[in-house]
Amino acid sequence: MKTISIILLALSLTFGANAQFKKASVHATGLTCAMCSKATYEALESLPFVDKIDTDLDNTTFILTFKSNVPVNIDAIKAKVEDAGFSVGKLVMTANFDGVNIKNDAHVAFAGNTLHFMDVKNQVLTGDRDITVIDKDFVSAKQFKKFSTETSMPCYKTGMMTGDCCKTDATAASKRVYHVTI
């Protein structure tokens, strides 16, 4: 019986480790020269969960590949871009889902984060899927205003979960809520 318990625990840890962010595409706004790009690159390179960075300078986009089994801090990505003197115009995260059931306007615990899916059809996500972060300071003011009509939940304006926030099928992974769409 003890052996079976150990095997089940090991399997649950293995499957839990698969739920992670694999990479991100960060569009930085305000870059005007090679020095701007270099400053942003160096700031992003200092993130402890980043394994490598590819650049698309024509589109001022940085493609971050994350280290396996290292937690990713989405706000830290934004902070590094801002520390370099610029802002995030768009952040698309590639996540490895393993049968994650999502519903429109509801929270899902994923990779140590709480994701609030907006403007999506109810579905089960499996494999690598791109999700776009649509929180304030991750999209333009116009896009933020557009998405704010998709929910009446207070967490979209604050980015934080409150006691009466959102329909949820799972326990929140954190009080910080990242609003995303597919």
Side-chain angles (χ1 to χ4, degrees):
M1 186 57 122
K2 185 178 178 181
T3 305
I4 292 172
S5 296
I6 293 172
I7 291 171
L8 289 175
L9 177 63
L11 284 173
S12 68
L13 291 174
T14 300
F15 289 123
N18 289 335
Q20 67 180 30
F21 292 109
K22 296 177 76 176
K23 65 181 181 174
S25 172
V26 183
H27 173 74
T29 60
L31 293 133
T32 58
C33 66
M35 293 303 289
C36 299
S37 297
K38 182 178 181 198
T40 306
Y41 180 94
E42 289 174 351
L44 291 168
E45 190 177 43
S46 70
L47 292 166
F49 49 85
V50 171
D51 186 38
K52 76 173 192 165
I53 302 174
D54 293 313
T55 57
D56 177 356
L57 296 180
D58 291 334
N59 296 308
T60 62
T61 302
F62 299 85
I63 296 91
L64 313 176
T65 302
F66 302 128
K67 295 176 182 174
S68 293
N69 301 319
V70 177
V72 173
N73 182 328
I74 297 169
D75 283 328
I77 296 170
K78 179 177 74 79
K80 288 296 183 177
V81 172
E82 290 174 348
D83 288 349
F86 308 99
S87 58
V88 173
K90 185 174 185 178
L91 177 62
V92 178
M93 307 285 293
T94 301
N96 184 340
F97 292 98
D98 186 16
V100 175
N101 186 23
I102 65 165
K103 296 179 181 176
N104 189 47
D105 209 16
H107 291 167
V108 172
F110 180 80
N113 296 285
T114 300
L115 304 179
H116 181 145
F117 282 87
M118 293 174 52
D119 196 27
V120 297
K121 294 179 181 174
N122 296 350
Q123 59 189 292
V124 176
L125 300 179
T126 301
D128 289 354
R129 294 292 299 265
D130 288 342
I131 58 174
T132 303
V133 179
I134 56 173
D135 280 332
K136 188 175 186 177
D137 299 327
F138 287 92
V139 294
S140 70
K142 183 179 179 180
Q143 289 173 309
F144 182 76
K145 185 176 180 180
K146 174 195 165 271
F147 281 114
S148 68
T149 64
E150 299 290 329
T151 187
S152 61
M153 303 299 171
C155 63
Y156 188 60
K157 291 187 173 102
T158 65
M160 300 300 290
M161 191 181 324
T162 60
D164 60 348
C165 183
C166 305
K167 298 172 253 175
T168 181
D169 291 336
T171 303
S174 65
K175 290 289 184 185
R176 173 65 165 104
V177 179
Y178 295 100
H179 296 80
V180 297
T181 193
I182 297 174

